Amino acid sequence: MKSGLLLIILITGLCMATYGQQPADIYREPLKEVLTGIENRYNIKLQYSESLVKGLEVSYPTWRYRSDVEATLAGILMPLDLVFEKMGVDTYSVNRFVYYQRPVEEGRKHLEKLLTLYPVLSDWENRKTELRNCILIRIGLSPMPEKTPLNPVYTPVRKMQGYTVQNVGIETMPGVYLCGSLYRPARGKGPFPAVLCPHGHFSDPDTNKYGRYRPDQQYRCAMLAKMGAVVFSYEMFAYGESRLQVSEADHRTSLSLTIQTLNSIRVIDFLTSLPFVDSKRIGVTGESGGGTQSFLLTAIDDRITVSVPVVMVSSWFFGGCPCESGLPIHSCSEAGTNNAEIAAMA
């Protein structure tokens, strides 16, 4: 009888220890109340949206208070993936942590630190090799997938003033097609230089067109063709006609960075297979996400001889779309890297 009673007491004690209220539960407060308390305690003003703090709680909030208000804010906000920025005298804004953006000053310091790694040319060449290998690994292209037949599918040629254009689909991987527009000079037989034109995330407010069908994208490609270049303007992954095969939501995944870069490599394969293209004169230019593709492709594929990335060459901003910064390519090496250094690998 006594042993049975003792067993019940032990089991009850274990259950209470397992399911009882823990200190972290007792000392937990809504973030909004904590921020109000910080404002009153330090006599400051915090600016934030209600949606930002809704549903968030802080464990042991008063344990995180320090004599310095900024140290207190860091202790409260950082575990929640939130950051603060001083906006003026005794005023701070609270925002979500943005993994693809740093303070401009931090970008400058990072560039200065990187420059100390290669005081002479041979050091820079070694650095480029290190970065190229690391980028290929981080992006999921090492080893490189087998290059299978491209099996291009062409639409009829449209003759324009000074150039021609036709749509082309190439099979970059078995069963996976990349769609693009091939522009050619109207005169001459070549061989012509070729330019890859990956597009960015912009859209045209007047025509509601985006991607490779955006008017300014078409103007650029037509202009280059009239100047004597073969131009291939092609879709982002899960963008435009790519959505005939995959969901639009797939563009917002890290897979898009891998596929888009592989597609760009296969576009070079396609262009250099054309008899009217000079394989020793291959350029690339694009803006926004297309700018990222421009310098990233140049960094890993030596067949690019001219690279003109637009907008995205920055030491402190990496794009934000997973198709640009969805994989840890910027964490290559202990020193890390940034878009400016990658672009310098051209």
Side-chain angles (χ1 to χ4, degrees):
M1 179 69 178
K2 290 183 179 180
S3 60
L5 181 61
L6 180 61
L7 179 61
I8 292 173
I9 293 173
L10 287 172
I11 293 174
T12 303
L14 287 171
C15 290
M16 290 179 65
T18 303
Y19 299 105
Q21 197 172 37
Q22 300 297 309
D25 299 321
I26 299 171
Y27 298 110
R28 182 187 294 272
E29 294 181 18
L31 176 60
K32 182 174 175 59
E33 294 181 13
V34 173
L35 294 179
T36 300
I38 291 176
E39 287 180 315
N40 296 333
R41 178 166 181 162
Y42 296 98
N43 195 28
I44 62 170
K45 177 63 178 176
L46 297 175
Q47 300 173 344
Y48 53 87
S49 65
E50 292 294 324
S51 61
L52 182 71
V53 301
K54 185 177 180 180
L56 294 180
E57 293 185 330
V58 183
S59 298
Y60 306 109
T62 55
W63 272 257
R64 302 175 191 272
Y65 287 3
R66 299 292 183 268
S67 56
D68 176 66
V69 62
E70 294 192 359
T72 299
L73 287 172
I76 295 290
L77 299 174
M78 289 182 67
L80 300 173
D81 248 7
L82 299 175
V83 294
F84 64 91
E85 181 180 1
K86 190 167 186 178
M87 307 301 294
V89 178
D90 299 326
T91 302
Y92 295 84
S93 67
V94 178
N95 298 287
R96 297 192 188 280
F97 170 69
V98 180
Y99 74 94
Y100 53 84
Q101 183 171 326
R102 302 171 179 173
V104 176
E105 179 63 16
E106 185 176 336
R108 183 186 66 80
K109 291 179 179 179
H110 190 211
L111 282 178
E112 292 178 348
K113 179 180 179 181
L114 291 175
L115 284 171
T116 65
L117 302 179
Y118 27 80
V120 296
L121 181 59
S122 59
D123 292 333
W124 169 238
E125 293 298 333
N126 292 334
R127 171 71 172 171
K128 287 203 299 183
T129 300
E130 175 190 17
L131 288 176
R132 182 179 294 110
N133 292 338
C134 180
I135 289 172
L136 286 169
I137 292 172
R138 297 285 174 86
I139 213 170
L141 295 178
S142 181
M144 187 68 66
E146 179 186 358
K147 292 187 176 182
T148 52
L150 292 168
N151 301 320
V153 178
Y154 295 88
T155 65
V157 174
R158 297 188 296 277
K159 296 182 179 180
M160 314 299 284
Q161 186 176 357
Y163 68 97
T164 64
V165 61
Q166 64 185 138
N167 292 340
V168 184
I170 59 174
E171 195 172 6
T172 57
M173 293 180 289
V176 178
Y177 279 84
L178 170 66
C179 294
S181 300
L182 183 67
Y183 296 74
R184 289 183 58 179
R187 296 181 179 180
K189 297 181 179 180
F192 303 105
V195 181
L196 288 78
C197 276
H199 65 77
H201 296 92
F202 301 113
S203 61
D204 185 84
D206 297 324
T207 63
N208 198 32
K209 292 181 178 179
Y210 64 99
R212 83 180 205 264
Y213 290 123
R214 205 177 65 244
D216 60 298
Q217 175 90 0
Q218 296 188 60
Y219 294 151
R220 184 204 323 157
C221 296
M223 177 198 69
L224 290 170
K226 293 177 73 171
M227 293 172 65
V230 172
V231 184
F232 194 66
S233 176
Y234 55 100
E235 304 278 15
M236 285 181 167
F237 175 69
Y239 232 74
E241 291 169 321
S242 174
R243 294 178 302 168
L244 296 172
Q245 288 196 295
V246 294
S247 167
E248 185 176 0
D250 291 333
H251 183 73
R252 302 294 303 179
T253 66
S254 57
L255 177 64
S256 61
L257 179 55
T258 303
I259 298 300
Q260 284 183 189
T261 307
L262 177 61
N263 281 347
S264 293
I265 293 172
R266 299 307 325 260
V267 169
I268 302 179
D269 295 340
F270 167 64
L271 289 174
T272 54
S273 72
L274 300 176
F276 48 84
V277 166
D278 183 350
S279 62
K280 295 182 179 179
R281 292 188 292 166
I282 306 294
V284 60
T285 186
E287 79 297 321
S288 186
T292 299
Q293 270 299 299
S294 295
F295 62 69
L296 192 57
L297 176 65
T298 305
I300 62 176
D301 198 314
D302 289 333
R303 291 176 295 177
I304 296 292
T305 53
V306 176
S307 180
V308 187
V310 180
V311 181
M312 288 308 304
V313 181
S314 169
S315 64
W316 57 273
F317 182 72
F318 302 149
C321 180
C323 76
E324 300 176 87
S325 49
L327 292 170
I329 59 175
H330 297 96
S331 299
C332 280
S333 81
E334 292 183 4
T337 187
N338 57 52
N339 288 353
E341 186 181 39
I342 297 173
M345 295 170 63

